[in-house]
Amino acid sequence: MSRIPQQLTMGVIIGNRGFFPSYLVAEAREQAIALFGRLGINIVMLDPSQTELGGVETRQDAKVCAELFRAHRDRIHGVVVLLPNFGDEKAVAETLRLSGLNVPVLVQAEEDNLDKMGLATRRDSFCGKISLCNNLRQYGIPFTLTSQHVCALTGEVFEQDLKRFEQVCRVVSSMRGVRVGAIGARPAGFNTVRYSEKLLERLGIAVETLDLSEVFTRIKTLRDDDIRVDEKRRILIDNADASRIPADKLVTMAKLFVVISEWVVANDIDTTAIQCWTSLQENLGINVCSIMSVMSGQLMPSACEVDVMGALSMYALASSNMNPASIADWNNNFGDDRDKCVLFHCGNFAASSLESPHMGTADIIGTTVGKENTCGAVHGRLKSGPLTYFRLSTDDLTGEIKAYVGQGQSVDDPLDTVGCRAVIQVPHLENLLNWICRNGFEHHVAMNHSASAEILHEAFTRYLGVSTYLHR
């Protein structure tokens, strides 16, 4: 089961400053409870019995709020700061420092009304937000801004900002402590997917390895009528039309699926990268593509050719929007249209993203190992719609993890080919491809149906410390 958090919990800080109307704090608290509840977001927030109206204004308030956050630190995914009036910037910053939380922070400031600028009703949050952000920067606390400098807590602008922030928090939470399973050795001809485990450790990412010889040994211990094998066989049949696949091949695939799944559970693996050719074809007579397709559909994505950074890219993308991600090659030009290209892989895409998915053979690999030994590849055309692409990479020459991200469209232009394929349209694609080549990125890219580029850029650049190019 995927460990990407479904429901998030936010710590909420309501700033206050005494010579501004304090009733605004109580009003903001009620509005926040209603909004977060409607969006299905849990909150940890001061009670009016703990501080004046539940706001944070003094050093003592900061200590009380920080203690509350510490008590719930294992379930807080982000902090939302609300400024119904100017607020006390130092108290809010000290709350975050004293809490010890290392989570994304969203800063909202309420807008003033021109007919309420008297002493009894004015807010001055417009000014207070600038002061607070100045202090957060002094304290070294990264933060996210709303799309407008000030916005109503009850308005559509802030609701959309909060939904985007929820996605940022989900990405950051998912990527911290993620565990990747590398199954098999990198194919000899794929230097492009080399990566640095040591650089990943700096980000708190662990890589667990499993040799294919161990996989083959475990498969031999499974009987054809094992209930676990039958369960996995049914899952594979439900994933894509398998009517063309011989029964014995489906059983072998199911046994491989059992072994991989049990190893994933035993080692707390979140995402996998698998040696998909040619050892599996030569030893088992099957492809692993359908198994990878199922796992990606379950938000536990699986990348080809032991592409660990590709698997992490898929996991980040899936966590941003809870949509299955797939991995593909930047594979072909699309005639003379320089803003379109073909994405392709033998057959690993998440089935829910495809038009009429069916299971077949991997004909390209079949030219070397025999077509009959490649049963299990998924065939289908990527559905049309919005598309986000994303790629992480480790760069040993600079000692850094880097990434790029952008958006485009999956389009339904005619394409006569096999496997998992897509025609995509990306603005200024030639510039992007030039940038990819100049900066030494791999030929694989993760993608899914979404519009999440700015979410991923914010999460990785601001909170995870990964230099990320946002293509526009």
Side-chain angles (χ1 to χ4, degrees):
M1 180 179 293
S2 175
R3 291 191 294 176
I4 298 172
Q6 300 282 324
Q7 188 174 41
L8 301 190
T9 297
M10 301 289 179
V12 178
I13 301 172
I14 304 178
N16 189 28
R17 181 163 287 197
F19 49 81
F20 288 92
S22 293
Y23 77 89
L24 296 172
V25 174
E27 180 181 86
R29 190 175 189 279
E30 292 178 3
Q31 292 172 346
I33 291 172
L35 174 61
F36 283 79
R38 180 161 54 81
L39 297 181
I41 302 172
N42 297 321
I43 58 175
V44 175
M45 183 168 56
L46 285 172
D47 187 270
S49 65
Q50 294 174 284
T51 65
E52 180 69 24
L53 299 173
V56 173
E57 181 179 6
T58 67
R59 166 76 176 181
Q60 187 59 36
D61 293 342
K63 290 168 64 177
V64 173
C65 190
E67 184 179 356
L68 176 66
F69 285 177
R70 284 197 302 271
H72 297 275
R73 64 179 303 158
D74 290 340
R75 67 186 190 95
I76 292 177
H77 300 96
V79 173
V80 179
V81 179
L82 307 176
L83 296 179
N85 60 34
F86 190 105
D88 188 284
E89 70 273 16
K90 187 175 180 181
V92 172
E94 288 189 342
T95 299
L96 292 166
R97 173 183 279 177
L98 293 171
S99 72
L101 292 176
N102 182 24
V103 296
V105 176
L106 175 65
V107 180
Q108 179 267 352
E110 191 72 21
E111 57 189 9
D112 266 309
N113 296 320
L114 291 177
D115 59 349
K116 295 182 179 180
M117 297 295 286
L119 294 179
T121 54
R122 67 184 297 148
R123 298 176 182 273
D124 288 10
S125 308
F126 188 103
C127 185
K129 180 175 180 177
I130 298 172
S131 184
L132 170 59
C133 292
N134 174 277
N135 275 257
L136 293 178
R137 191 169 185 276
Q138 289 186 49
Y139 280 49
I141 299 171
F143 55 89
T144 295
L145 298 172
T146 50
S147 53
Q148 293 179 0
H149 183 64
V150 290
C151 55
L153 181 55
T154 57
E156 179 66 21
V157 170
F158 180 65
E159 181 171 328
Q160 292 305 313
D161 285 336
L162 184 55
K163 288 178 179 177
R164 284 190 289 269
F165 181 67
E166 185 182 16
Q167 291 180 271
V168 171
C169 292
R170 186 176 283 112
V171 173
V172 173
S173 174
S174 298
M175 294 306 297
R176 286 177 175 161
V178 63
R179 292 173 59 80
V180 191
I183 302 175
R186 171 182 55 78
F190 272 70
N191 278 0
T192 184
V193 296
R194 288 173 172 176
Y195 69 99
S196 170
E197 286 190 48
K198 293 181 179 180
L199 289 179
L200 289 180
E201 281 290 352
R202 287 189 197 171
L203 205 60
I205 296 172
V207 180
E208 292 292 329
T209 60
L210 177 65
D211 192 81
L212 283 183
S213 63
E214 297 178 65
V215 173
F216 300 149
T217 299
R218 296 178 193 183
I219 287 175
K220 291 176 182 178
T221 67
L222 292 171
R223 293 168 51 95
D224 290 1
D225 60 356
D226 190 307
I227 190 173
R228 295 169 295 173
V229 174
D230 187 60
E231 177 191 22
K232 297 300 185 187
R233 183 184 65 84
R234 292 177 184 275
I235 291 173
L236 290 169
I237 291 172
D238 289 341
N239 184 61
D241 177 11
S243 57
R244 308 176 196 179
I245 305 300
D248 61 322
K249 298 289 188 180
L250 280 171
V251 170
T252 303
M253 275 186 266
K255 289 181 178 180
L256 175 59
F257 200 175
V258 169
V259 171
I260 291 174
S261 296
E262 293 186 347
W263 181 77
V264 163
V265 171
N267 291 276
D268 289 332
I269 301 299
D270 299 299
T271 182
T272 53
I274 302 176
Q275 181 188 342
C276 53
W277 58 276
T278 57
S279 180
L280 288 174
Q281 290 78 12
E282 292 168 346
N283 286 280
L284 300 180
I286 59 169
N287 262 41
V288 71
C289 303
S290 287
I291 298 170
M292 300 168 77
S293 172
V294 170
M295 292 193 294
S296 293
Q298 295 172 340
L299 303 186
M300 300 181 68
S302 188
C304 310
E305 290 134 2
V306 203
D307 184 2
V308 165
M309 300 308 295
L312 287 168
S313 303
M314 296 168 73
Y315 190 71
L317 192 50
S319 70
S320 71
N321 49 63
M322 306 301 287
N323 284 333
S326 299
I327 196 166
D329 292 349
W330 291 107
N331 210 71
N332 311 91
N333 61 291
F334 192 74
D336 294 328
D337 193 328
R338 297 303 168 184
D339 278 348
K340 291 181 182 178
C341 71
V342 177
L343 297 183
F344 172 85
H345 247 184
C346 302
N348 65 319
F349 289 12
S352 62
S353 68
L354 298 173
E355 304 273 5
S356 304
H358 66 275
M359 196 188 301
T361 56
D363 297 340
I364 296 176
I365 296 176
T367 61
T368 59
V369 300
K371 184 177 176 180
E372 70 280 2
N373 294 315
T374 65
C375 291
V378 175
H379 293 254
R381 174 72 181 263
L382 192 72
K383 296 175 182 176
S384 60
L387 184 102
T388 300
Y389 54 88
F390 180 62
R391 179 72 205 189
L392 284 161
S393 184
T394 57
D395 190 335
D396 286 23
L397 299 180
T398 61
E400 66 174 357
I401 301 173
K402 58 187 182 182
Y404 68 84
V405 68
Q407 290 175 195
Q409 291 282 326
S410 173
V411 296
D412 56 9
D413 297 44
L415 177 67
D416 183 19
T417 189
V418 296
C420 285
R421 66 272 188 191
V423 178
I424 70 164
Q425 185 169 19
V426 175
H428 310 294
L429 177 59
E430 288 286 349
N431 293 342
L432 173 63
L433 295 171
N434 183 282
W435 191 91
I436 289 171
C437 291
R438 292 289 184 192
N439 287 276
F441 276 86
E442 300 80 356
H443 66 292
H444 288 166
V445 66
M447 48 83 184
N448 73 356
H449 286 110
S450 68
S452 303
E454 292 188 359
I455 302 297
L456 289 161
H457 182 261
E458 179 83 358
F460 277 90
T461 300
R462 197 168 307 283
Y463 298 108
L464 295 170
V466 174
S467 176
T468 304
Y469 166 63
L470 176 60
H471 181 70
R472 300 183 186 277

